[in-house]
């Protein structure tokens, strides 16, 4: 668990360093704010198994090599591939969690029915409106 936390910290740091080096402060803020949002709302991340970690490491290594070789176009293409694959993996993980959650009983909440109707029952784990 501690090694995974270190890996995830190194992963986000890698991306933030590249964004800052590129002078892309807006994107650096978006990434940092997104990470904060995940922590505040305890949103689960995808499972980081050996396949995912190895893939991320490989992308980071190739991106860094392209930067060291002063080949920004190659670095850009590898970064785009990395982001697209990471997004695809994260969305698939989210879909799997949603499917698993759909089979669970709704969490009792004790809210009045009219409030639930106004909120839309699905927000709190009830039936969709």
């Amino acid at each position: 668990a501690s090694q995974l936390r270190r890996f995830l910290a190194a992963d986000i740091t890698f991306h933030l360093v590249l964004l800052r080096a590129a002078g892309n402060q807006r994107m650096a803020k978006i990434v940092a704010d997104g990470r904060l949002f995940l922590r505040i709302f305890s949103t689960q991340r995808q499972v980081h198994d050996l396949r995912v970690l190895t893939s991320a490491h490989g992308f980071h290594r190739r991106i860094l090599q392209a930067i060291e070789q002063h080949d920004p176009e190659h670095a850009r293409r590898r970064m785009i591939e990395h982001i697209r694959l990471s997004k695809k993996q994260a969305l698939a993980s989210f879909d799997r969690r949603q499917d698993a959650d759909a089979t669970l009983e709704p969490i009792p909440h004790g809210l009045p029915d009219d409030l639930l109707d106004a909120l839309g029952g699905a927000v709190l784990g009830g039936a969709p409106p």
Side-chain angles (χ1 to χ4, degrees), residues 54-71:
T54 302
S55 173
H57 176 263
F59 274 110
H60 291 183
R61 184 176 39 76
R62 289 188 298 277
I63 293 164
L64 187 56
Q65 286 172 344
I67 292 168
E68 289 171 339
Q69 295 170 358
H70 304 284
D71 188 347

Side-chain angles (χ1 to χ4, degrees), residues 28-44:
K29 180 168 176 25
I30 289 169
V31 170
D33 289 350
R35 186 164 188 262
L36 178 63
F37 179 79
L38 290 173
R39 293 184 80 187
I40 289 171
F41 294 102
S42 300
T43 303
Q44 291 181 334

Side-chain angles (χ1 to χ4, degrees), residues 29-117:
K29 180 168 176 25
I30 289 169
V31 170
D33 289 350
R35 186 164 188 262
L36 178 63
F37 179 79
L38 290 173
R39 293 184 80 187
I40 289 171
F41 294 102
S42 300
T43 303
Q44 291 181 334
R45 293 178 55 118
Q46 75 183 73
V47 174
H48 286 80
D49 58 18
L50 184 58
R51 180 185 55 81
V52 171
L53 297 176
T54 302
S55 173
H57 176 263
F59 274 110
H60 291 183
R61 184 176 39 76
R62 289 188 298 277
I63 293 164
L64 187 56
Q65 286 172 344
I67 292 168
E68 289 171 339
Q69 295 170 358
H70 304 284
D71 188 347
E73 182 57 28
H74 185 73
R76 185 186 71 78
R77 286 193 311 268
R78 296 296 78 78
M79 183 60 82
I80 288 169
E81 286 178 55
H82 177 38
I83 291 169
R84 284 182 178 157
L85 179 60
S86 294
K87 180 179 78 171
K88 182 179 177 182
Q89 290 170 336
L91 290 173
S93 176
F94 177 80
D95 288 344
R96 284 190 300 275
R97 280 194 313 274
Q98 290 294 101
D99 290 345
D101 288 348
T103 63
L104 300 176
E105 290 293 320
I107 298 170
H109 40 69
L111 295 175
D113 289 339
D114 60 332
L115 181 56
L116 282 177
D117 290 341

